[in-house]
Amino acid sequence: QVGLGFARMRRTLADCQALTTVIHALHDTMSDVNMHMCHIGNDGLTCIIPALNQTTALTHLRLGHNSLSDDVAADLGDVIRHNSPTLRTLSVTSNSFSDHGAAQLHRYAPTCQHLTALAFGSSSTSRLSRQATRDTLYPILAACTKVDTLRVVSCSLGGEGVAALIEQVRHLRLTQLSLRDVG
């Protein structure tokens, strides 16, 4: 198994093009793509998506803090669908997804039966509404019963919403629950 770990290293579009070549070449052994806080933006992710759709062993996908928006949400959702048989970690928080983008992005996440770690939410400038959080996150939590690590960031839950979320996770064996900016 091979992993790409570039967390907290700013990447350019040219870097993303080179990474695409590497991911394509290692498509059957690439297990970890960690580009957390690389600031690749929509263009960088659009470059990488075809390669991610060719992987057959991807278990960890971390794309938080990359200035991603609704423009790539549906395509990233397809990456999640393609990798759902193997995906264990999914983190795309602190990007700029709207309620609609979050729904597109996570529409296939409930098919990730082996998902154990989920970081869900958006950025402080584009908080997800209570309804979008409920409509998007709750089906994932109901279907993905192996989740033991859950981070929820920048979602407008309020007190009642947090209580409802806690009720939703009761069936899980969480070892870590992190709620940030959910008021």
Side-chain angles (χ1 to χ4, degrees), residues 97-148:
F97 298 113
S98 70
D99 291 354
H100 175 75
Q104 289 295 303
L105 170 66
H106 292 93
R107 71 189 185 278
Y108 295 114
T111 65
C112 300
Q113 298 298 311
H114 301 289
L115 196 66
T116 58
L118 174 65
F120 177 89
S122 199
S123 70
S124 58
T125 59
S126 60
R127 296 168 56 85
L128 297 180
S129 71
R130 182 179 302 172
Q131 184 67 40
T133 301
R134 182 173 45 241
D135 292 349
T136 307
L137 179 60
Y138 291 5
I140 298 170
L141 296 175
C144 302
T145 59
K146 296 179 181 177
V147 171
D148 62 15

Side-chain angles (χ1 to χ4, degrees), residues 38-125:
C38 289
H39 306 282
I40 60 173
N42 291 342
D43 291 340
L45 184 62
T46 298
C47 180
I48 295 170
I49 280 178
L52 291 174
N53 276 325
Q54 298 300 313
T55 58
T56 59
L58 190 65
T59 55
H60 306 287
L61 181 60
R62 297 177 187 95
L63 295 169
H65 294 271
N66 274 297
S67 304
L68 305 176
S69 73
D70 290 358
D71 294 341
V72 296
D75 291 335
L76 188 52
D78 289 338
V79 169
I80 294 167
R81 179 192 49 77
H82 171 78
N83 290 285
S84 66
T86 57
L87 201 59
R88 300 217 180 335
T89 301
L90 176 61
S91 176
V92 290
T93 59
S94 300
N95 285 297
S96 297
F97 298 113
S98 70
D99 291 354
H100 175 75
Q104 289 295 303
L105 170 66
H106 292 93
R107 71 189 185 278
Y108 295 114
T111 65
C112 300
Q113 298 298 311
H114 301 289
L115 196 66
T116 58
L118 174 65
F120 177 89
S122 199
S123 70
S124 58
T125 59

